[in-house]
């Protein structure tokens, strides 16, 4: 991401240090990850120590310091889904993709995250791929759904 | 749209909006909350628009995309006004029939109606369906009548009249007194009296004060706040503006978790419209009172739902809580007095101001007034969001409204209060829902999550699940939580894997005590609750796991084996085909056997074996029977043997 | 600042308004164990070992003395069965990370803490935060900070800043209760092999 674009985002938030998280959220959403150079630029523009930015970027789950895969898999591990067998779905997804939650595969095809409650508890267990919700998942179906993604 | 500069102008506008709306005009309302969206309401909405246009009815029929109706198990949901005909699980294919039959011909389509499971009768009207009939939808009920993106819809149902009443007819002290009189307690978890919190801020000497809406709903399984924010954002804006007036604040924040993009979108639209109409900003309704509010998005941390952590996050820092020796309503955001309340708490405020504290206190119990929205989920027939008066028994909520446990299974426990709460067993189901009652039983109200569990749920696994969640979400600042919960997680995981040993329960209890006493914030002090409540009511399950390496609920993967009963297997080959690990050996007429070396315990065979055979069983705590000899595995059917 | 009279372990103590219970106790020569406290740094409230029992308005509760403000007629007890039990557990949890730390060993002896109660942990940082806070508040260089949260939390040096500042400073090293091993190790590693996420990431 170009420094100009980062500067634009910072200025949009009036260059306030308290808007640090909002600024990073915008960069993350546009760029899909936070390169170190972006963090350094924000540190300079907002006059905030890099250690604070680094802590924020690693503390909050929304941020990624590494590039993400083409397809983001979000598995709901909320209590309602858990009680309906979400752990078994997680096992299957891990087997099929070869990655664990928080990881991206070497081909940069899939990134896997577990999330806590997508709010569609009636459809549990729920798997979301690229924002599309797949409900009432069973281990066998999971492999079929993932096979469809390039 | 010219600004509305006085309560009188507001009433004039409201009258004009209502005069342009014909209550008898057919209106199709479609639930468009996030949950229904996930079941395809977006496509249904497109179909409705198309079909209505196609049949030339665009001017005769209104279409309104509303917020969540609450009966999430049966979405997408359509309610057709003015008759209040309610159709469930609508697909785009149903739409042409709905438009031609129900809208044009005024005929009801039976197959889309709700069927009462006890009487088998079809029920036409939404309000007569048992799920809705037994609720008291004071706060949530409006969701079904308004399009959250339209401020006029909100005005049509009386919106902002409470704000006008407060600003023009009441002093700030009077507003505060009314909220105090109502005994409104926080709906976010703590249950602290809102009026007392507001009073502390009002009396603080500082000029700058803040109101904050806590929409960082983090409890897994709870989504009431999301549905309120998505479906009726103006009610929260009105509520927190009234609160700001009462304490003397002119600046507010709505902290919405980043995982709720639709809520963020709808609140931002609502703020813009409210500012245009003059309900936010300078000189609101000509009263001289100024108030602005901004949305601040979370970034994925459960701990930010804790009030001091939320304020730290608002300041652009990591969400590490601060000690509460000096309460945040005295020294909060940037050291200033700050009133932080939950979304549902704020949504109650306009009702209290409009109808009065005396009206509000007629609902509920002595200690807990008003209603509460619960998210009733898990092993329950009618999954969804329900609003009931405080004091209703858990039994009534689960059976009368929830429709009981599906699949003929037995109820085991209901978990309330999220990760800070506990499990309530069958013998306590007569408990009347309320803040103090739930705390006494070893749980808590929390934000309103109500997860129902049945005989197949392992309570040790439930404790492990919650500790796992909290260990992940802990901010890591203090030792009792960061290290203590980490050790608890290790021990509980070992127990579910059959590696538990004597002394584990005692050590868990010790770690629980230290976390409860010495943690920095409520995440740590309440983290042991799920463990403590499950060991209190289900100790036998823990002991079975540790001493017998047996999971009574037949759930913990490491402690169960799947076994095909040779007496029941009919060699239909379904499980063999579906097994993802190719672990089933057998063929047509050859009784199937599971190769335990290959089995991954996914449970697929158990789920797909036809119920008339029910040949797949789960065994725990004892060795798997050896496979029967090869010769005995061949099935000879009686009829064929007679030929 | 007005004078406040309170009672600590049965002794009448005089303190000034705005003081913490820990400060008041230390001034009066009453010892309360601390790990994350430093007189020149803002109170942190992380280790919780300075926990004490206080009685206020007839209610007894446990609070951390490094943050809790003194109040008129406050009754404080720095030792009790419950307090000792809590301190013992905190020490045992930390000893799993740094069993060789002299500071922890001394306290362990006093409270009967067993360093082998929990399995040995991989990281020997106990998160007292002294190094991070010292570099932030006193040196104002921010060469070292925290990353991540919960049990995965670690300290991390920023290689570019550390390369410039740390060799001539090293003032955080003696602060570390685990005897600077962690700080030195991580610093050296950061200087020699910078973190992979920075250098090898695709050029933007």
């Amino acid at each position: 991401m170009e420094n100009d674009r980062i500067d634009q985002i910072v200025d949009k938030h009036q260059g306030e240090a308290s808007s640090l998280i909002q600024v990073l959220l915008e960069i993350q959403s546009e760029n899909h990850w936070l390169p170190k150079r972006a963090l350094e630029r924000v540190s300079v523009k907002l006059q905030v120590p890099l250690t604070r930015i680094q802590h924020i970027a690693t503390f909050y789950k929304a941020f990624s310091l590494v590039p993400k895969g083409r397809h983001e898999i979000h598995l709901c591990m909320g209590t309602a889904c858990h009680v309906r067998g979400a752990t078994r779905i997680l096992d299957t997804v891990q087997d099929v993709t070869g990655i664990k939650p928080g990881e991206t595969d070497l081909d940069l095809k899939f990134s896997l995250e577990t999330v806590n409650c997508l709010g569609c508890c009636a459809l549990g267990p729920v798997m979301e791929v690229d924002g599309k919700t797949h409900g009432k998942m069973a281990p066998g179906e999971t492999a079929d759904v993932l096979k469809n993604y390039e | 749209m010219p600004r509305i500069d006085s309560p009188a102008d507001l009433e004039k506008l409201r009258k004009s909006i209502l005069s342009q709306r014909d209550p008898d005009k057919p209106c199709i309302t479609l639930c468009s909350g996030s949950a229904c969206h996930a079941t395809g309401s977006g496509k249904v909405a497109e179909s409705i628009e198309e079909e209505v246009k196609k049949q030339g009815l665009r001017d005769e029929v209104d279409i309104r995309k509303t917020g969540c109706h609450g009966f999430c198990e049966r979405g997408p949901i359509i309610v057709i006004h003015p008759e209040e005909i309610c159709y469930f699980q609508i697909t785009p294919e149903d739409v042409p029939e709905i438009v031609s039959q129900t809208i044009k011909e005024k005929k009801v389509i039976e197959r889309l109606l709700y069927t009462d499971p006890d009487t088998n009768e079809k029920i036409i009207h939404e309000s007569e369906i048992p799920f809705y009939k037994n609720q008291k939808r004071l706060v949530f009920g409006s969701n079904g009548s308004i399009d959250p993106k339209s401020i006029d819809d909100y005005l049509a149902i009386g919106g902002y009249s409470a704000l006008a009443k407060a600003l023009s007819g009441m002093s700030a002290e009077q507003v505060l007194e009314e909220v105090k009189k109502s005994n409104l307690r926080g709906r976010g978890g703590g249950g602290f009296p809102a009026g007392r919190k507001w009073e502390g801020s009002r009396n603080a000497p500082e000029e700058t004060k803040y109101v904050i809406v806590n929409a960082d709903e983090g409890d897994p399984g709870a989504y009431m706040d999301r549905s309120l924010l998505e479906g009726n954002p103006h009610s929260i804006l009105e509520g927190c503006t009234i609160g700001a007036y009462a304490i003397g604040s002119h600046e507010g924040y709505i902290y919405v978790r980043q995982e709720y993009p639709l809520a963020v979108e709808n609140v931002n639209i609502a703020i813009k419209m409210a500012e245009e109409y003059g309900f936010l900003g300078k000189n609101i309704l000509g009263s001289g009172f100024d108030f602005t509010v901004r949305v601040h998005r979370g970034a994925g941390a459960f701990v930010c739902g804790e009030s001091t952590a939320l304020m730290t996050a608002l300041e652009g820092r990591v969400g590490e809580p601060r000690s509460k020796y000096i309460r945040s309503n005295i020294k909060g955001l940037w050291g200033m007095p700050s009133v932080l309340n939950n979304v549902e708490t704020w949504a109650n405020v306009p009702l209290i101001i409009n109808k009065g504290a005396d009206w509000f206190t007629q609902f509920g119990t002595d200690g807990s007034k008003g209603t509460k929205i619960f998210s009733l989920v898990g092993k329950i027939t009618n999954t969804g969001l329900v609003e009931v008066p405080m004091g209703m028994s858990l039994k009534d909520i689960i059976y009368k409204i929830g429709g009981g446990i599906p699949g003929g299974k037995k109820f085991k426990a209901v978990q309330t209060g999220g990760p800070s709460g506990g499990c309530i067993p069958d013998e306590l189901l007569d408990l009347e829902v309320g803040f103090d009652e739930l705390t006494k039983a070893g749980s808590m109200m929390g934000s309103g999550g109500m997860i129902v569990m049945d005989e197949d749920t392992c309570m040790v696994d439930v404790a492990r699940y919650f500790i796992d969640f909290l260990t992940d979400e802990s901010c890591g600042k203090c030792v009792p939580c960061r290290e203590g919960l980490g050790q608890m997680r290790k021990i509980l995981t070992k127990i579910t894997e059959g590696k538990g040993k004597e002394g584990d329960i005692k050590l868990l209890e010790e770690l629980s005590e230290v976390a409860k006493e010495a943690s920095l914030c409520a995440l740590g002090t309440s983290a042991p609750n799920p463990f403590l409540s499950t060991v209190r009511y289900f100790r036998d399950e823990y002991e079975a796991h540790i001493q017998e390496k047996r999971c009574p609920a037949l759930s913990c993967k490491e402690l169960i084996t799947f076994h095909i009963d040779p007496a029941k297997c009919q060699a239909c080959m379904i499980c063999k085909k579906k097994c993802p690990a190719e672990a089933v050996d057998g063929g047509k007429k050859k009784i199937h056997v599971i190769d335990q070396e290959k089995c991954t315990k996914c449970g697929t065979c158990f789920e797909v074996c036809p119920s008339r055979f029910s040949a797949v069983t789960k065994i725990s705590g004892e060795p798997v029977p050896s496979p029967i000899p090869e010769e005995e595995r061949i099935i000879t059917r009686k009829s064929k043997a007679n030929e | 600042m007005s004078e406040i009279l309170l009672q600590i372990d049965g002794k009448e103590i005089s303190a000034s308004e705005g003081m913490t219970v820990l400060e008041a106790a230390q001034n009066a020569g009453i010892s309360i164990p601390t790990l994350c406290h430093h007189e020149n740094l803002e109170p942190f409230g992380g280790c919780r070992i300075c926990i004490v029992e206080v009685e206020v308005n007839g209610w007894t509760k446990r609070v951390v003395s490094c943050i809790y403000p003194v109040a008129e007629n406050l009754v404080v007890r720095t030792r009790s069965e419950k307090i000792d039990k809590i301190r013992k557990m905190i020490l045992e949890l930390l000893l799993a990370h740094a069993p060789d730390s002299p500071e922890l060993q001394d306290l362990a002896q006093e409270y009967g803490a067993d360093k082998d109660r929990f399995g040995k942990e991989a990281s020997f940082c106990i998160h007292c935060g002294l190094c991070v806070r010292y570099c932030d508040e006193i040196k104002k260089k921010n060469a070292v900070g925290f990353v991540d949260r919960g049990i995965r939390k670690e300290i991390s040096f920023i290689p570019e800043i550390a390369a410039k500042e740390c060799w001539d400073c090293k003032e955080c090293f003696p602060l570390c209760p685990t005897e600077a091993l962690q700080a030195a190790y991580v610093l050296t590693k950061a200087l020699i092999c910078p973190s992979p996420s920075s250098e090898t990431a695709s050029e933007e």
Side-chain angles (χ1 to χ4, degrees):
Chain A
M1 199 185 225
E2 294 301 329
N3 277 351
D4 286 340
R5 181 69 194 117
I6 296 176
D7 291 353
Q8 260 181 348
I9 294 175
V10 169
D11 291 333
K12 192 167 109 179
H13 291 269
Q14 285 96 44
E16 276 176 20
S18 58
S19 303
L20 178 51
I21 298 173
Q22 309 303 291
V23 166
L24 291 175
L25 278 171
E26 270 201 62
I27 300 175
Q28 168 74 37
S29 142
E30 259 184 58
N31 200 50
H32 300 295
W33 68 293
L34 299 176
K36 185 163 181 183
R37 278 223 246 103
L39 301 185
E40 287 166 347
R41 184 74 188 171
V42 173
S43 164
V44 162
K45 284 239 62 183
L46 282 179
Q47 298 279 289
V48 159
L50 188 55
T51 47
R52 183 167 139 195
I53 300 182
Q54 199 172 264
H55 196 185
I56 287 174
T58 49
F59 181 94
Y60 290 103
K61 254 185 158 172
F63 302 123
S64 173
L65 290 177
V66 293
K68 291 231 132 167
R70 290 187 295 285
H71 305 292
E72 287 201 35
I73 307 172
H74 291 167
L75 270 183
C76 181
M77 298 309 257
T79 320
C81 281
H82 175 81
V83 144
R84 287 187 184 189
T87 322
R88 302 232 155 93
I89 309 297
L90 176 59
D91 290 340
T92 315
V93 172
Q94 285 178 168
D95 283 337
V96 169
T97 58
I99 52 177
K100 293 211 211 42
E103 295 179 356
T104 301
D105 61 30
L106 289 173
D107 302 322
L108 287 181
K109 180 174 171 186
F110 285 122
S111 280
L112 176 59
E113 292 286 346
T114 51
V115 290
N116 291 309
C117 198
L118 291 163
C120 350
C121 310
L123 296 175
V126 173
M127 175 172 79
E128 200 183 70
V129 186
D130 292 340
K132 181 162 184 252
T133 314
H134 299 269
K136 302 218 160 109
M137 288 263 82
E141 287 171 42
T142 317
D144 291 333
V145 168
L146 291 176
K147 267 198 210 105
N148 291 330
Y149 288 90
E150 286 302 308
Chain B
M1 174 67 222
R3 275 178 63 103
I4 301 170
D5 281 321
S6 69
D9 282 347
L10 171 59
E11 287 319 304
K12 249 200 276 169
L13 173 61
R14 200 191 310 283
K15 271 210 185 75
S16 120
I17 292 174
L18 286 170
S19 69
Q20 289 166 19
R21 291 175 181 215
D22 177 6
D24 293 323
K25 185 179 182 192
C27 177
I28 304 176
T29 60
L30 167 69
C31 177
S32 304
S34 290
C36 274
H37 200 77
T39 45
S41 74
K43 292 223 159 70
V44 173
E46 283 169 15
S47 261
I48 296 178
E49 295 271 353
E50 255 181 61
E51 193 62 32
V52 163
K53 227 189 327 180
K54 204 160 94 175
Q55 300 202 22
L57 295 167
R58 201 58 199 87
D59 292 324
E60 282 101 74
V61 177
D62 281 336
I63 303 172
R64 186 171 287 131
K65 295 201 280 220
T66 71
C68 178
H69 286 225
F71 202 163
C72 307
E73 181 73 39
R74 301 294 182 103
I77 304 178
I78 285 184
V79 180
I80 295 171
H81 297 278
E83 297 88 354
E84 215 205 297
I85 301 171
C86 193
Y87 290 145
F88 293 99
Q89 288 167 310
I90 307 300
T91 62
E93 289 73 38
D94 296 321
V95 173
E97 196 184 339
I98 295 176
V99 176
S100 50
Q101 292 294 305
T102 311
I103 304 288
K104 264 199 172 139
E105 312 266 323
K106 303 285 178 203
K107 280 210 235 145
V108 161
I109 306 173
E110 295 252 325
R111 66 181 172 79
L112 297 176
L113 291 173
Y114 178 80
T115 314
D116 189 320
D118 297 325
T119 63
N120 255 332
E121 272 175 46
K122 298 269 180 200
I123 302 183
I124 301 176
H125 305 293
E126 192 183 29
S127 49
E128 287 164 14
I129 297 170
F131 178 79
Y132 291 111
K133 197 165 65 166
N134 293 306
Q135 295 185 41
K136 194 102 200 117
R137 294 156 64 82
L138 303 176
V139 176
F140 206 58
S142 311
N143 267 31
S145 331
I146 61 178
D147 175 352
K149 296 181 162 66
S150 154
I151 191 173
D152 284 358
D153 277 5
Y154 186 62
L155 292 174
I157 60 166
Y160 288 110
S161 54
L163 180 59
K165 180 176 174 188
L167 291 180
S168 64
M170 298 167 81
S171 68
E173 287 88 359
Q174 281 170 323
V175 173
L176 177 61
E177 279 312 303
E178 200 67 19
V179 172
K180 273 173 72 182
K181 215 166 113 189
S182 72
N183 275 322
L184 175 67
R185 288 172 72 168
R187 298 293 196 252
F192 192 85
R196 235 198 298 156
K197 187 186 274 189
W198 294 17
E199 190 166 43
S201 284
R202 180 173 175 75
N203 293 340
E206 288 84 348
E207 280 281 317
T208 309
K209 299 177 189 182
Y210 298 103
V211 292
I212 303 172
V213 177
N214 185 346
D216 189 55
E217 189 172 51
D219 287 359
Y223 59 106
M224 310 66 73
D225 292 349
R226 171 208 209 136
S227 300
L228 268 177
L229 265 182
E230 286 175 357
N232 194 352
H234 285 283
S235 65
I236 286 98
L237 292 180
E238 191 178 358
C240 70
T241 311
I242 294 173
Y245 174 63
I247 71 164
S249 152
H250 303 286
E251 217 181 316
Y253 288 91
I254 305 181
Y255 187 99
V256 188
R257 62 190 298 227
Q258 163 258 348
E259 293 91 330
Y260 286 174
L262 183 56
V264 171
E265 185 189 331
N266 286 359
V267 171
N268 274 323
I269 292 174
I271 291 177
K272 199 153 161 285
M273 294 197 149
E275 282 172 346
E276 267 176 42
Y277 278 52
F279 300 126
L280 283 175
K282 291 206 173 315
N283 194 15
I284 299 176
L285 289 172
S287 64
F289 175 65
D290 303 337
F291 179 66
T292 49
V293 71
R294 274 197 291 179
V295 168
H296 183 112
R297 281 192 298 160
F302 170 79
V303 69
C304 286
E306 198 274 345
S307 56
T308 61
L310 193 156
M311 292 183 203
T312 316
L314 277 175
E315 294 174 5
R317 299 175 180 282
V318 289
E320 281 176 356
R322 304 176 238 182
S323 75
K324 273 183 156 162
Y325 301 143
I326 301 176
R327 292 193 161 272
S328 42
N329 63 338
I330 309 293
K331 279 202 167 358
L333 189 58
W334 288 299
M336 297 295 158
S338 313
V339 161
L340 179 145
N341 274 124
N342 169 266
V343 167
E344 194 183 337
T345 315
W346 288 119
N348 271 284
V349 171
L351 293 173
I352 292 173
I353 297 301
N354 254 337
K355 304 204 181 166
D358 289 334
W359 166 86
F360 188 76
T361 51
Q362 70 178 300
F363 303 105
T365 63
D366 283 338
S368 312
K369 292 290 176 197
T371 60
K372 178 80 188 80
I373 307 176
F374 290 101
S375 74
L376 191 57
V377 295
K379 302 289 187 78
I380 190 95
T381 308
N382 298 332
T383 314
L385 297 175
V386 305
E387 186 178 349
V388 298
M390 300 277 200
M392 184 178 248
S393 73
L394 283 170
K395 189 178 270 165
D396 283 347
I397 298 176
I398 293 171
Y399 290 98
K400 278 210 186 119
I401 300 178
I405 319 297
K409 298 279 183 179
K410 215 171 130 242
F411 171 88
K412 189 167 195 182
V414 61
Q415 211 276 348
T416 69
S420 312
C423 297
I424 309 224
D426 189 46
E427 52 265 30
L428 294 179
L429 269 191
D430 287 321
L431 190 149
E432 289 173 358
V433 130
F435 292 101
D436 309 312
E437 294 79 348
L438 284 167
T439 309
K440 241 192 291 176
S443 180
M444 64 186 265
M445 178 79 74
S447 62
M450 209 176 253
I451 325 263
V452 181
M453 300 169 178
D454 67 12
E455 60 195 74
D456 294 335
T457 314
C458 172
M459 302 316 282
V460 183
D461 182 57
V462 167
R464 183 205 59 79
Y465 164 84
F466 280 119
I467 292 283
D468 188 46
F469 172 78
L470 290 168
T471 315
D472 209 36
E473 296 290 344
S474 161
C475 78
K477 186 167 177 183
C478 77
V479 175
C481 174
R482 180 186 76 241
E483 305 290 340
L485 295 190
Q487 296 293 350
M488 283 180 81
R489 173 167 68 176
K490 280 201 189 140
I491 300 170
L492 282 166
T493 307
K494 284 213 182 98
I495 295 177
T496 59
E497 290 173 350
K499 300 189 188 131
K501 54 186 196 296
E502 235 11 82
D504 275 350
I505 296 182
K506 192 158 169 295
L507 180 52
L508 284 167
E509 285 172 339
E510 258 192 76
L511 287 162
S512 298
E513 199 191 334
V514 173
K516 269 185 112 68
E517 291 287 348
S519 293
L520 169 61
C521 79
L523 188 153
T525 58
S526 64
N529 286 348
F531 162 69
L532 290 172
S533 74
T534 49
V535 94
R536 173 174 168 182
Y537 298 117
F538 300 98
R539 199 185 181 99
D540 52 309
E541 286 197 38
Y542 281 88
E543 287 172 350
H545 279 74
I546 294 174
Q547 289 157 10
E548 299 168 55
K549 312 296 182 218
R550 176 176 68 92
C551 175
L554 299 172
S555 163
C556 293
K557 234 168 71 151
E558 310 288 329
L559 298 182
I560 57 173
T561 37
F562 288 86
H563 172 66
I564 299 176
D565 184 348
K568 294 190 179 157
C569 177
Q570 297 297 319
C572 68
M573 301 254 280
I574 292 179
C575 66
K576 181 174 161 74
K577 289 187 193 140
K578 293 271 181 176
C579 174
E582 292 176 3
V584 178
D585 177 74
K588 231 177 175 178
K589 293 201 205 162
K590 188 173 182 197
I591 288 177
H592 301 338
V593 170
I594 296 176
D595 181 350
Q596 298 297 341
E597 305 282 304
K598 291 192 184 153
C599 176
T600 60
K601 323 260 181 87
C602 70
T604 305
C605 56
F606 186 78
E607 266 147 45
V608 302
C609 179
S611 50
R612 63 186 185 282
F613 304 150
S614 289
V616 182
T617 59
K618 290 193 257 191
I619 302 178
S620 181
E622 34 185 271
V624 188
S626 328
I628 54 177
E630 283 289 312
E631 322 78 78
E632 289 178 40
R633 286 176 64 189
I634 311 295
I635 297 179
T636 33
R637 305 219 187 278
K638 276 208 196 114
S639 49
K640 288 219 163 126
N642 281 341
E643 279 172 18
Chain C
M1 277 213 263
S2 52
E3 202 202 10
I4 294 190
L5 285 171
L6 64 153
Q7 200 194 93
I8 305 183
D9 289 344
K11 269 170 79 172
E12 287 286 316
I13 308 285
S14 154
S16 355
E17 198 183 322
M19 264 187 165
T20 61
V21 168
L22 179 66
E23 284 172 331
Q26 284 174 338
N27 279 357
I30 299 175
S31 106
I32 300 179
T34 64
L35 282 170
C36 70
H37 179 78
H38 189 289
E39 56 182 3
N40 295 341
L41 297 173
E42 289 295 315
F44 194 54
C47 69
R48 318 303 284 176
I49 207 165
C50 68
I51 196 166
V52 294
E53 250 170 42
V54 299
E55 239 179 73
V56 63
N57 291 339
W59 291 101
T60 304
K61 57 182 179 181
R62 277 153 283 279
V63 299
V64 292
S65 52
C66 63
I67 296 185
Y68 197 80
V70 293
E72 190 70 26
N73 292 329
L74 189 68
V75 175
V76 180
R77 282 181 287 276
T78 66
R79 298 291 291 261
S80 78
E81 201 185 311
K82 204 150 206 183
I83 294 285
D84 283 15
K85 230 170 126 183
I86 294 171
R87 289 188 187 153
K88 174 174 177 284
M89 178 63 86
I90 289 174
L91 288 163
E92 284 166 346
L93 288 166
L94 293 178
L95 281 161
H97 286 272
D100 302 322
S101 153
E103 229 177 296
L104 289 180
Q105 280 176 350
D106 286 342
L107 286 168
Q109 218 173 28
E110 187 171 352
Y111 289 93
D114 170 15
K115 69 175 169 69
D116 295 315
R117 183 134 196 230
F118 298 104
K120 179 90 176 60
E121 295 284 336
S123 152
F124 40 96
C125 179
I126 63 169
H127 292 295
C128 62
L130 286 169
C131 55
V132 174
R133 291 148 59 208
Y134 189 85
C135 200
D136 175 37
E137 292 173 39
I138 310 253
K139 302 307 289 185
K140 300 202 198 292
K141 296 288 181 200
N142 295 105
V144 59
F146 287 121
V147 289
D148 218 329
R149 68 184 188 212
I151 203 102
R152 298 185 309 269
K153 196 173 179 191
E154 288 303 337
I155 56 165
S156 156
F157 282 81
I158 310 266
E160 295 79 14
I161 305 177
K164 263 196 292 168
E165 309 287 345
C166 294
W167 284 132
D168 296 325
C169 174
K170 297 199 205 105
E171 284 171 42
C172 66
F173 285 23
L175 295 176
C176 179
T178 69
E179 282 223 308
L181 297 168
Q182 182 79 351
Y185 172 85
V186 179
L187 169 60
T188 319
K189 184 161 180 271
L191 290 176
I192 294 175
C193 2
S195 58
S197 64
S198 55
E199 271 26 36
T200 57
S202 55
E203 298 300 293
E204 290 294 285

